[in-house]
Amino acid sequence: MGKIWITVVTAFFLIQPAYASEVIRVSAPPSIWTRHQGATLTGPAVDLITDLLSNMNIKIQALPMSWARAMAGMKSGNLDMILTIFYTSERARFMAFTVPYVDVPTVVFVLKGSEFAFNKDADLMGKKGLMQRGDSLGQRFDTFLPRLTLTEIASYEQIIKMLLSGRGDYAIGPKYGFFIELKRLGHDNKIHALPRSIDVVNLHFAFSKKSPYIKYIPLINQRIKQFKKNGYIDNMIGRVIQNVSQP
């Protein structure tokens, strides 16, 4: 009897790890999609990946990190996943990307009453433009930038103030991020986007190629497509914008 009991107990502990929860370490820099709260990363992108994997025995460990530290973690494999990232060929050397889950249009913002025809990039020439320092406006449009009179400004808040005071004819920026800042400052009824988008960049999840959880990309891709089809993604964007509070 004793030998049988030992055999059963040993078998239990040998089998048990197969049923243990897998833990995926994820991070992202602060943005409208994520925020750092102490030692935890929260926000819509964290909620999304949690929901995408909700039907599996997987836990998400969401860690706040700087961009530089997250990139180093993805290269080494110490971090499994980044939640908010654009695809580049350089990043694809050490990351595997999911299908995009959010399309982010880059648009032209103007003061209401100061609209102008914007049917092609050249329509911006000869006007005073503003953009946030460090923003990428899409690979195609970035090559056109040297032909424009465009001043780089430290923050969207400063850009908005300059538009309101007439120190710029237009501003260029990502649609959702810029609009959220307008709403936060209470100026979303004074400045709006022209109808034509300059470009559209895609927001992805990406796994480190050294992560054992790269195997879940096909599942995540399938679930992202389902979430787009059933309106989950559109509702997520709507909540992000709606939940902005004014000072």
Side-chain angles (χ1 to χ4, degrees):
M1 179 69 180
K3 289 184 178 179
I4 295 174
W5 174 249
I6 292 171
T7 301
V8 170
V9 170
T10 302
F12 174 81
F13 282 105
L14 288 173
I15 293 172
Q16 193 67 12
Y19 294 93
S21 295
E22 295 182 295
V23 179
I24 299 180
R25 296 159 299 175
V26 308
S27 192
S31 69
I32 64 173
W33 312 108
T34 58
R35 53 188 173 271
H36 292 183
Q37 290 188 340
T40 305
L41 184 73
T42 62
V46 179
D47 296 339
L48 176 58
I49 191 60
T50 301
D51 288 347
L52 286 169
L53 297 173
S54 61
N55 61 343
M56 302 184 67
N57 193 25
I58 298 172
K59 293 182 180 179
I60 300 298
Q61 184 181 13
L63 305 168
M65 291 184 183
S66 67
W67 184 250
R69 185 180 168 204
M71 287 294 100
M74 291 292 280
K75 289 179 180 178
S76 67
N78 289 330
L79 183 66
D80 295 303
M81 189 178 190
I82 278 195
L83 301 180
T84 55
I85 194 164
F86 301 135
Y87 175 91
T88 68
S89 56
E90 170 61 28
R91 292 169 180 171
R93 293 171 58 189
F94 58 95
M95 299 185 201
F97 290 78
T98 67
V99 296
Y101 63 91
V102 171
D103 301 328
V104 183
T106 299
V107 296
V108 175
F109 287 89
V110 297
L111 199 63
K112 288 187 178 180
S114 299
E115 296 84 356
F116 54 85
F118 177 50
N119 300 310
K120 56 186 183 301
D121 296 346
D123 291 334
L124 300 176
M125 295 175 66
K127 296 179 172 61
K128 293 183 294 182
L130 308 168
M131 66 174 284
Q132 180 170 264
R133 188 176 299 116
D135 269 358
S136 174
L137 304 178
Q139 189 171 353
R140 182 199 64 80
F141 191 76
D142 281 348
T143 62
F144 188 77
L145 289 182
R147 302 173 64 183
L148 300 179
T149 305
L150 203 56
T151 303
E152 294 189 359
I153 308 299
S155 68
Y156 293 139
E157 182 172 352
Q158 287 180 268
I159 290 173
I160 290 166
K161 289 178 180 178
M162 291 176 72
L163 282 179
L164 291 170
S165 65
R167 290 187 288 158
D169 298 315
Y170 68 90
I172 301 176
K175 182 178 180 179
Y176 304 128
F178 199 99
F179 181 77
I180 284 172
E181 189 67 5
L182 281 172
K183 193 169 185 287
R184 184 185 71 82
L185 296 171
H187 297 313
D188 50 308
N189 62 336
K190 300 174 185 176
I191 295 171
H192 68 156
L194 297 178
R196 176 181 178 264
S197 297
I198 286 175
D199 207 344
V200 176
V201 291
N202 306 122
L203 205 59
H204 301 256
F205 297 120
F207 282 88
S208 166
K209 286 188 174 180
K210 294 183 178 180
S211 170
Y213 305 118
I214 197 172
K215 62 187 178 184
Y216 291 119
I217 286 182
L219 169 68
I220 292 172
N221 286 344
Q222 180 183 4
R223 297 272 284 166
I224 286 173
K225 292 173 184 177
Q226 292 174 351
F227 278 28
K228 283 186 172 182
K229 189 174 182 179
N230 67 21
Y232 179 108
I233 302 294
D234 287 340
N235 289 335
M236 179 187 77
I237 294 170
R239 289 195 303 271
V240 170
I241 294 173
Q242 184 179 3
N243 290 339
V244 176
S245 58
Q246 296 181 7

